[in-house]
Amino acid sequence: MMLQLKNITITHRKDLREIVKDFSFVLHPGDKAVMIGEEGNGKSTLLKLIYQEALVEPYVEYTGEIIRNNHRLGYLAQELSPEQKRGRVDEYFYHIPEFFEKTPRELGTLARELGLSKSFFFEDQEIATLSGGEKVKMQMAGILLSQPDIMLLDEPSMGLSPLLVKEIFTTIQEVNQEGVTILLVEHDMRLVMNICDRICAISFGQFLACGTPGEIQGNKLVQEAYLGEEEPE
């Protein structure tokens, strides 16, 4: 077991609204798992909570238990912080201790795997001026430098072209094949059905079902909630 959530309930501090209710989940070694659901139903907040409670402490509180088993987590945010956007690319990597442990050859290999130039790690370009794809690849590079056991990815395809989405998810699959367990939030149903081996469906904070893509596609509750009924042929 890589990660376990036990009876997690997340409540907004401001209006006491429960955005996740009594949610339990187990992530196994080698999983490529995804959480799906409507916008604003707490998936991104839950992912942040799993990674680092301090990220959500100002605006939510939670009950339940998160068992991380001392595994190293990497987190790709849906949006970079304003402070990060004001910084430079080279400064972003200089804040990652493992960056200084890598040889030029290792950095070159990582850049090639992500479709980046060899000089990318040392560029003084302001992060805010990067394209959406470059920002995602920069974060992916930072995560991989830290050699995580589990990667938590919050909508890595958001705002990207189909070609870039294919590149990013090819990298995710390759990383998974190298032994890194994946948990992501994603809204592209066609994509996750083809890529992920476990899908966990949440609707308005309530757990609906968890299973293989085939099991989720055939689940009536999930179809009614947001996948939609299949059109007749």
Side-chain angles (χ1 to χ4, degrees):
M1 181 182 70
M2 300 293 289
L3 174 75
Q4 184 174 11
L5 309 182
K6 290 185 176 181
N7 309 112
I8 298 294
T9 293
I10 302 176
T11 307
H12 264 297
R13 294 184 183 277
K14 185 175 181 179
D15 58 11
L16 302 183
R17 178 171 55 93
E18 291 183 339
I19 58 173
V20 174
K21 303 174 185 178
D22 197 29
F23 180 67
S24 296
F25 175 73
V26 175
L27 190 67
H28 301 287
D31 274 352
K32 284 182 295 183
V34 61
M35 293 187 289
I36 62 172
E38 308 92 342
E39 289 282 356
N41 73 355
K43 303 182 304 298
S44 293
T45 299
L46 178 58
L47 208 64
K48 289 179 183 178
L49 176 64
I50 293 170
Y51 177 62
Q52 193 175 103
E53 295 169 16
L55 293 178
V56 299
E57 195 276 335
Y59 64 96
V60 300
E61 58 185 24
Y62 83 99
T63 59
E65 186 178 5
I66 302 173
I67 303 172
R68 301 178 180 87
N69 291 323
N70 294 317
H71 290 302
R72 180 177 291 190
L73 308 183
Y75 171 65
L76 186 145
Q78 192 177 116
E79 273 288 331
L80 292 163
S81 70
E83 181 181 3
Q84 287 175 317
K85 289 179 181 179
R86 287 193 295 269
R88 303 195 314 258
V89 172
D90 55 355
E91 293 172 336
Y92 181 86
F93 291 110
Y94 294 163
H95 285 96
I96 301 172
E98 291 85 357
F99 173 75
F100 299 99
E101 300 172 5
K102 302 298 181 183
T103 66
R105 181 184 294 273
E106 288 171 329
L107 291 176
T109 298
L110 178 58
R112 185 173 61 254
E113 291 173 349
L114 290 169
L116 297 169
S117 68
K118 292 181 180 179
S119 63
F120 183 79
F121 299 103
F122 306 99
E123 291 179 1
D124 60 2
Q125 183 177 352
E126 186 178 341
I127 291 173
T129 66
L130 295 175
S131 69
E134 288 172 328
K135 289 173 184 172
V136 171
K137 289 181 178 182
M138 181 189 74
Q139 290 188 81
M140 288 283 290
I143 293 170
L144 293 174
L145 283 170
S146 67
Q147 298 180 305
D149 302 305
I150 303 171
M151 289 180 69
L152 308 173
L153 309 173
D154 194 355
E155 291 197 64
S157 72
M158 188 174 68
L160 303 185
S161 69
L163 180 60
L164 281 173
V165 170
K166 183 178 179 180
E167 287 183 20
I168 294 297
F169 274 83
T170 295
T171 299
I172 291 171
Q173 287 181 291
E174 291 172 349
V175 168
N176 178 253
Q177 290 169 0
E178 292 170 1
V180 179
T181 299
I182 307 293
L183 175 61
L184 67 149
V185 168
E186 186 53 67
H187 282 92
D188 188 330
M189 294 299 103
R190 185 184 300 274
L191 182 64
V192 300
M193 289 294 175
N194 291 328
I195 297 297
C196 295
D197 47 36
R198 292 185 65 215
I199 299 174
C200 193
I202 304 170
S203 182
F204 298 106
Q206 296 277 13
F207 169 78
L208 291 181
C210 193
T212 66
E215 291 168 343
I216 293 300
Q217 281 185 312
N219 188 289
K220 198 69 175 177
L221 288 175
V222 175
Q223 290 177 0
E224 292 173 355
Y226 43 73
L227 287 180
E229 298 289 348
E230 293 185 0
E231 296 181 0
E233 296 183 358

